[in-house]
Amino acid sequence: MTRNIVILLIIALIGGVYFWLSNNDEQNAKVSDGTKSNSALVSVTLPEQLSDNAIVGKRIFEAKCASCHGQNAAGQKGVAPPLIHKIYEPSHHGDESFQRAAALGVRAHHWPFGNMPPVDGLTRAEVSTIITYVRELQRANGIN
């Protein structure tokens, strides 16, 4: 019995150290301009140039999405996941996934952030420009 307790304590200790180390890495994440962000979950490299549609999408993203998904879609610790992540590559989450998420919300399934509510006041056309922006950021970060 005592041996089982010791093993459980060791496992808990290892898990705690892993959790602490992974959170420490997230807190030290840097955005592409080199400044530290305490809430960004990933480091995002910005493309040299955005298309016209992506520029429009960036403005809408900043107004409707960045409060949760962070600047340049880098996510925010404890709030929402980064969209600049392999999970959101086009082959796993196609453009219609983003359309449906904005219109209907999303039940939590990849991340421990909870459910995403629908985003009021966005048209399909506006979401399309946001998708263009996110996809251009993803490509600049090796996510195709």
Side-chain angles (χ1 to χ4, degrees):
M1 181 69 133
T2 304
R3 183 175 179 195
N4 289 342
I5 292 172
V6 171
I7 291 171
L8 287 174
L9 288 174
I10 291 171
I11 291 171
L13 178 64
I14 291 169
V17 169
Y18 175 79
F19 180 76
W20 180 79
L21 288 174
S22 66
N23 281 340
N24 202 25
D25 286 345
E26 289 174 3
Q27 289 176 354
N28 291 323
K30 292 183 181 180
V31 292
S32 61
D33 65 4
T35 61
K36 284 190 177 182
S37 171
N38 288 335
S39 64
L41 295 178
V42 297
S43 181
V44 177
T45 300
L46 300 177
E48 288 184 27
Q49 186 174 1
L50 293 171
S51 68
D52 291 343
N53 279 343
I55 291 170
V56 172
K58 179 180 180 181
R59 288 185 192 125
I60 298 169
F61 180 91
E62 289 170 348
K64 294 287 193 171
C65 311
S67 62
C68 293
H69 287 287
Q71 180 181 3
N72 301 316
Q76 291 193 83
K77 183 177 180 184
V79 180
L83 301 177
I84 311 309
H85 191 280
K86 185 169 176 57
I87 286 176
Y88 296 103
E89 70 183 349
S91 65
H92 187 72
H93 281 89
D95 293 356
E96 189 59 27
S97 296
F98 286 90
Q99 288 284 357
R100 292 179 60 79
L104 304 172
V106 180
R107 288 177 50 144
H109 58 285
H110 287 299
W111 304 91
F113 295 103
N115 298 335
M116 176 184 151
V119 182
D120 293 329
L122 283 177
T123 66
R124 281 187 68 85
E126 289 170 325
V127 175
S128 290
T129 62
I130 293 169
I131 293 167
T132 300
Y133 169 61
V134 169
R135 296 299 189 208
E136 289 185 20
L137 286 174
Q138 288 175 335
R139 282 192 295 278
N141 288 274
I143 302 167
N144 297 317

